[in-house]
Amino acid sequence: MYVRRIAAAALPLAVGLTAAGPAHAADPGEATGPTGQKLTVSATENIDPAGQKVTVTGSGYALDQGIYLAVCAVPKAGEAPSPCLGGTDMSGTSGSSYWISNNPPDYAKDLVKPFTVQSDGKGGFSLELTIKAKDSSADCTQRACAVVTRADHTHSADRDQDVIVPVTFGAGSAPNPEVPAGTVRHQAVRTITPPLGGATDTEADPAAGHLHISTDSGSQSRLATYDTATGAVVGTPIELPAPATVMALDTGSGTLYLGLTNRIASYNTRTKVFSDNLAPVTGNIKYLAADPGADRLYVANQQGRSITVYSTENWQPVGEPVLLPFLPAGLAVDTKRHIGYATYVGGAMENGSLVYRNVLNAIDGSTGKLINSLSLGTTALGSMGVTVDSTSGTGYVANLAAGTVFTVDLQRNRVTGTLTVGANPRSLAYDAGTKTLYAAQTTAGTVAVVDPTKNKVTETLATGDGPDELTLDTERHTLFTVASGKVVQSQYQVSPTVTAAPKAVLVQAGKQAEFRAAAQGSPTPTAGWEVSTDEGRTWQPVAGAAGPKLSFKANSEHDGNRYRAVFSNPVGSIRSTAVELTVTPVPKPSPTDEPTDGPTDGPTDQPTDGPTDQPTGGLSGGNSGGSSGESSGGMDPGPDTTALSGGTTNGGGNSIGGGGSLASTGSTLLPLTIAAAALTALGAAAVALRRRTLA
């Protein structure tokens, strides 16, 4: 029957100092030890999992004791840091670990790094340490690790030399703070400042990913095109014969219509051809609104106080102009029903009092005739900017004086509600894809982001003084606001929502464990992974894990770990549910699978007696005495450790030396330069690497 091993809990990266335990870092990059030692690491966060060099500086160490410097798992209080990263360094020059001592055993005098004697009589050092997240000795991708010092094997049980500076691995920045799934925010992407003259109007071309900006300096008028992704100018700006105070885009043909004061011009954004004087207008053009599906252009004439519908096929008026009693204050088109909507506001004396009239007019694009009028009350400036949601047939009209926006059922021609916006809204824009209304707050220098379904301002976007024209890229859900002659670009963003959570995995040791998860958001969220080795009490990033899939070779240490995905974008992050990894041992071969004709005795050329001239402080490991796992004077290397051994002791265990042991860190890491000296000094003693796991 398989009994699950409970993995040892990885400690949090900041642990309080206990009387008998090691010191932990209070601040990133530095820690103070039990006897006043100080250990400083030049870089401790976001270390390259593939390998990175850091400078490690130590001071305040006793000169009569040797230490090891390495990267090891963060231990429990009172335990030695173990296992540790590194390889079998037989030369002492790998830089993955160091043995530092001023009184080493004779066999190691050429292998150790000496302390620098400081003015206080203590030892110091400054060494370059190579750190990576994972090797055959230890795995820091899924457990907390640190740059540590610890007593060498001549004082292996001494915890006074344990000084610990935690390090973290990974690529990229940490996830943003966690927010509820689907949280909406707007990011100010950039502010475009035209080089010559202030911006007068903008039009977004979603299909091309372009923004067209008209400018006027008083002496020069231009039309420039910008890439909405980078903000860079596309092509060469064209000179205009007159200021283009208003524009409208036919998204189907890519034709940009320009109101040049008293005439209509066009610019084909595909062919780059400019055509002037397509339709002369008696008066000044105040607003333009295009209906691409019907080949219509609605023109609001300020001086003529009228709305005229033009056919963009022959530039002839469709019917007679619709005359208004006051100046037009807003213009929009229902592109699904091909109806234009114009507002006006004006005051008149009635019975000796000034009374304001706010009206929304509906104009049939096929005939150019007025088909409906809707009174919006008598508030001063109560019918200004207008925008239309063609999908639902809803109109929105700004009531500047009241700080509100009317919602209008356009098919039934009636007001259905009032949205509280504040700060004198005027220009409006509606994004049907996100169901978001934008209202330029003229007296606050901001744009209100409104959720009409909740009658709630969800955000306020700073734009600068006098926000006026609003333009939307409805495919990228980006708002462009003209304010103070500049254009502010604001991106609609949504925090991630998990759409597929990972599932628990059961896998045999040595096989690949794989977890998958998915999420949606805008911008597309990035994915990382976190692991808990203590049943979800603490979590740490899985170093180097990026993307919606986490895959690694499972071993017994991973059994019982919990994993969760972390999805993040500029709005915030969300974590998936956590699932458990179960790692089963490799099945043992049955007796019938074992060879019957092999040798029954061990090799006959093994030495039966170890050397009699072993140096004090030599290396030991393996199982001696057949039970305790330690040779006389040796040290218990701890769980899942590997020790270099040689020679023979009672019970068949192999060891080299009897006066001490390699300060085992769970690998052949800490300085196995010792092994080179030992093998030379002791001759051709048999060497065996033995793995011990404590129950």
Side-chain angles (χ1 to χ4, degrees):
M1 176 178 177
Y2 170 58
V3 179
R4 176 173 300 166
R5 176 188 60 79
I6 303 299
L11 294 183
L13 295 186
V15 182
L17 177 64
T18 62
H24 293 261
D27 297 314
E30 186 175 284
T32 302
T35 62
Q37 312 98 315
K38 182 162 288 187
L39 186 66
T40 303
V41 183
S42 63
T44 58
E45 296 181 357
N46 203 30
I47 300 295
D48 185 353
Q52 180 176 323
K53 292 182 179 180
V54 299
T55 299
V56 183
T57 305
S59 62
Y61 287 83
L63 293 173
D64 59 350
Q65 284 187 258
I67 61 170
Y68 293 129
L69 171 66
V71 177
C72 307
V74 175
K76 292 182 179 179
E79 295 184 358
S82 174
C84 299
L85 292 158
T88 305
D89 181 6
M90 304 298 288
S91 64
T93 60
S94 75
S96 60
S97 63
Y98 294 96
W99 183 8
I100 306 170
S101 178
N102 280 22
N103 59 344
D106 290 341
Y107 61 82
K109 290 186 181 298
D110 295 330
L111 301 175
V112 301
K113 297 287 186 182
F115 284 113
T116 299
V117 180
Q118 300 174 323
S119 59
D120 60 357
K122 298 289 187 178
F125 59 86
S126 182
L127 296 167
E128 190 175 70
L129 188 69
T130 300
I131 303 176
K132 59 182 178 179
K134 182 179 180 179
D135 63 14
S136 59
S137 305
D139 183 356
C140 290
T141 65
Q142 298 190 37
R143 65 190 307 172
C145 288
V147 173
V148 308
T149 60
R150 52 172 289 178
D152 69 12
H153 64 282
T154 65
H155 297 81
S156 59
D158 182 1
R159 301 272 64 79
D160 282 348
Q161 303 303 318
D162 291 1
V163 189
I164 297 175
V165 178
V167 295
T168 60
F169 297 85
S173 58
N176 286 325
E178 203 161 6
V179 298
T183 299
V184 175
R185 290 178 186 162
H186 286 72
Q187 176 72 34
V189 177
R190 65 179 57 87
T191 297
I192 300 174
T193 304
L196 296 175
T200 57
D201 199 9
T202 60
E203 278 295 325
D205 185 349
H210 290 165
L211 178 70
H212 305 288
I213 302 178
S214 59
T215 62
D216 180 36
S217 66
S219 60
Q220 187 178 39
S221 301
R222 304 174 77 192
L223 176 65
T225 301
Y226 293 80
D227 186 302
T228 57
T230 65
V233 177
V234 178
T236 302
I238 66 170
E239 303 296 327
L240 298 176
T245 55
V246 291
M247 300 187 295
L249 180 69
D250 182 328
T251 54
S253 65
T255 301
L256 183 65
Y257 301 115
L258 303 94
L260 303 182
T261 308
N262 61 355
R263 63 192 188 275
I264 299 169
S266 71
Y267 176 67
N268 190 310
T269 61
R270 312 294 194 256
T271 63
K272 315 302 180 187
V273 175
F274 175 79
S275 302
D276 193 9
N277 205 28
L278 298 175
V281 176
T282 303
N284 298 325
I285 298 174
K286 179 65 174 178
Y287 301 106
L288 294 177
D291 184 359
D295 295 320
R296 295 291 189 264
L297 182 70
Y298 294 75
V299 180
N301 186 328
Q302 184 175 25
Q303 184 177 345
R305 297 183 179 181
S306 64
I307 307 295
T308 303
V309 182
Y310 286 88
S311 167
T312 56
E313 295 179 312
N314 56 23
W315 288 107
Q316 293 300 310
V318 178
E320 297 296 322
V322 174
L323 300 180
L324 307 176
F326 299 101
L327 299 177
L331 182 65
V333 177
D334 181 340
T335 56
K336 182 177 180 179
R337 298 164 185 85
H338 310 300
I339 298 174
Y341 291 91
T343 59
Y344 70 81
V345 60
M349 296 300 297
E350 296 182 8
N351 299 322
S353 300
L354 179 62
V355 177
Y356 286 93
R357 300 296 181 188
N358 303 290
V359 177
L360 176 66
N361 292 315
I363 302 164
D364 188 345
S366 62
T367 63
K369 294 182 178 182
L370 179 67
I371 57 175
N372 261 322
S373 291
L374 176 64
S375 174
L376 299 174
T378 58
T379 305
L381 305 178
S383 56
M384 300 296 289
V386 57
T387 189
V388 172
D389 173 15
S390 297
T391 302
S392 65
T394 302
Y396 298 94
V397 182
N399 185 334
L400 185 145
T404 60
V405 175
F406 295 110
T407 59
V408 179
D409 184 330
L410 297 176
Q411 298 179 71
R412 296 183 180 183
N413 196 38
R414 68 182 186 185
V415 175
T416 57
T418 302
L419 306 174
T420 302
V421 174
N424 306 113
R426 183 170 57 184
S427 296
L428 304 176
Y430 183 80
D431 187 343
T434 63
K435 296 180 173 56
T436 303
L437 176 70
Y438 300 92
Q441 299 172 300
T442 57
T443 57
T446 54
V447 172
V449 181
V450 185
D451 182 344
T453 64
K454 298 179 180 178
N455 191 6
K456 180 180 180 181
V457 175
T458 58
E459 280 184 88
T460 301
L461 312 179
T463 59
D465 294 339
D468 191 7
E469 301 299 330
L470 301 179
T471 301
L472 278 170
D473 179 336
T474 53
E475 288 189 12
R476 296 168 183 81
H477 307 299
T478 304
L479 176 71
F480 301 93
T481 305
V482 177
S484 303
K486 302 176 182 179
V487 180
V488 179
Q489 181 176 348
S490 304
Q491 177 71 50
Y492 176 96
Q493 298 179 340
V494 186
S495 71
T497 297
V498 175
T499 57
K503 297 180 180 179
V505 172
L506 185 149
V507 67
Q508 188 182 99
K511 303 294 185 181
Q512 288 293 114
E514 184 174 292
F515 298 90
R516 291 180 181 269
Q520 63 183 14
S522 179
T524 301
T526 58
W529 293 84
E530 293 178 339
V531 60
S532 173
T533 60
D534 56 5
E535 299 181 338
R537 288 188 292 275
T538 60
W539 293 86
Q540 69 175 54
V542 177
K549 181 178 78 171
L550 172 65
S551 180
F552 57 92
K553 183 180 289 187
N555 60 46
S556 59
E557 288 188 358
H558 299 138
D559 179 51
N561 285 358
R562 296 182 183 181
Y563 298 86
R564 65 187 182 187
V566 184
F567 294 98
S568 185
N569 69 8
V571 181
S573 298
I574 192 169
R575 287 164 170 81
S576 71
T577 54
V579 294
E580 188 171 358
L581 172 63
T582 301
V583 182
T584 61
V586 177
K588 294 181 179 180
S590 64
T592 57
D593 295 333
E594 295 180 357
T596 57
D597 55 351
T600 58
D601 298 320
T604 58
D605 56 353
Q606 293 279 354
T608 56
D609 295 306
T612 59
D613 57 349
Q614 298 173 6
T616 300
L619 310 183
S620 75
N623 294 329
S624 63
S627 61
S628 70
E630 298 182 21
S631 59
S632 175
M635 146 190 165
D636 181 358
D640 298 329
T641 60
T642 304
L644 183 67
S645 62
T648 304
T649 63
N650 289 337
N654 293 330
S655 68
I656 300 178
S661 69
L662 173 65
S664 174
T665 61
S667 70
T668 54
L669 158 73
L670 283 182
L672 285 181
T673 53
I674 304 170
L679 290 176
T680 301
L682 302 178
V687 177
L689 292 177
R690 183 184 302 270
R691 177 181 180 85
R692 269 189 336 149
T693 302
L694 297 184

